[in-house]
Amino acid sequence: MDESSDMETQIMELIIHAGEARSDAMEALRAARLRQWPQAEALLADAAAAARRAHRIQTRFIGDDEGQGKVPVSLIMVHAQDHLMNAMLARELVEELIILHRAIDALQQREIHHDTHEGR
């Protein structure tokens, strides 16, 4: 495999892993909305692992470039970087939203428990 097609393969892998990270994060949020906490946590872990795989590829590109423009920047490379940044942001926001879903659930459970004991 020549250097150009190897780079294209790595870029596609970056896109695939970043897309997987974003999808897993969004699935984690859906699970949290349904109060499926173990599934939400597992999906967040999957999202983090996929993001790490994508980030390793990005780090390789940065290392190969050495800040000197050695790695050609194509539209697909920019697209891949965009995917990775969106996936990382989505995962971070989903983590925060799941914390909020847990807090809301705890408050709702406390209210139900309180109403049950007051005979409402």
Side-chain angles (χ1 to χ4, degrees), residues 40-82:
E41 293 300 324
L43 285 162
L44 273 180
D46 291 346
R52 279 191 302 275
R53 288 190 297 272
H55 193 259
R56 275 194 291 271
I57 295 168
Q58 178 193 43
T59 301
R60 245 182 282 137
F61 283 137
I62 292 169
D64 291 347
D65 189 68
E66 297 176 341
Q68 298 182 16
K70 294 178 181 179
V71 174
V73 178
S74 62
L75 185 57
I76 193 75
M77 172 71 87
V78 172
H79 181 66
Q81 296 297 316
D82 186 44

Side-chain angles (χ1 to χ4, degrees), residues 6-99:
D6 183 50
M7 179 176 286
E8 288 175 17
T9 299
Q10 289 181 47
I11 291 170
M12 292 308 296
E13 287 177 11
L14 195 158
I15 291 170
I16 289 166
H17 294 312
E20 181 183 354
R22 184 184 176 285
S23 293
D24 287 343
M26 296 310 291
E27 284 297 316
L29 183 56
R30 286 182 196 94
R33 215 174 38 234
L34 298 172
R35 297 181 177 135
Q36 298 170 342
W37 308 121
Q39 183 179 2
E41 293 300 324
L43 285 162
L44 273 180
D46 291 346
R52 279 191 302 275
R53 288 190 297 272
H55 193 259
R56 275 194 291 271
I57 295 168
Q58 178 193 43
T59 301
R60 245 182 282 137
F61 283 137
I62 292 169
D64 291 347
D65 189 68
E66 297 176 341
Q68 298 182 16
K70 294 178 181 179
V71 174
V73 178
S74 62
L75 185 57
I76 193 75
M77 172 71 87
V78 172
H79 181 66
Q81 296 297 316
D82 186 44
H83 264 280
L84 178 57
M85 297 290 75
N86 282 322
M88 292 172 76
L89 178 60
R91 188 179 52 80
E92 291 170 8
L93 289 173
V94 164
E95 286 175 1
E96 293 299 319
L97 287 169
I98 288 175
I99 290 168

Side-chain angles (χ1 to χ4, degrees), residues 97-114:
L97 287 169
I98 288 175
I99 290 168
L100 292 175
H101 273 289
R102 283 184 184 266
I104 291 167
D105 185 47
L107 288 172
Q108 288 173 338
Q109 293 304 317
R110 190 176 309 145
E111 183 67 26
I112 290 169
H113 179 72
H114 177 57

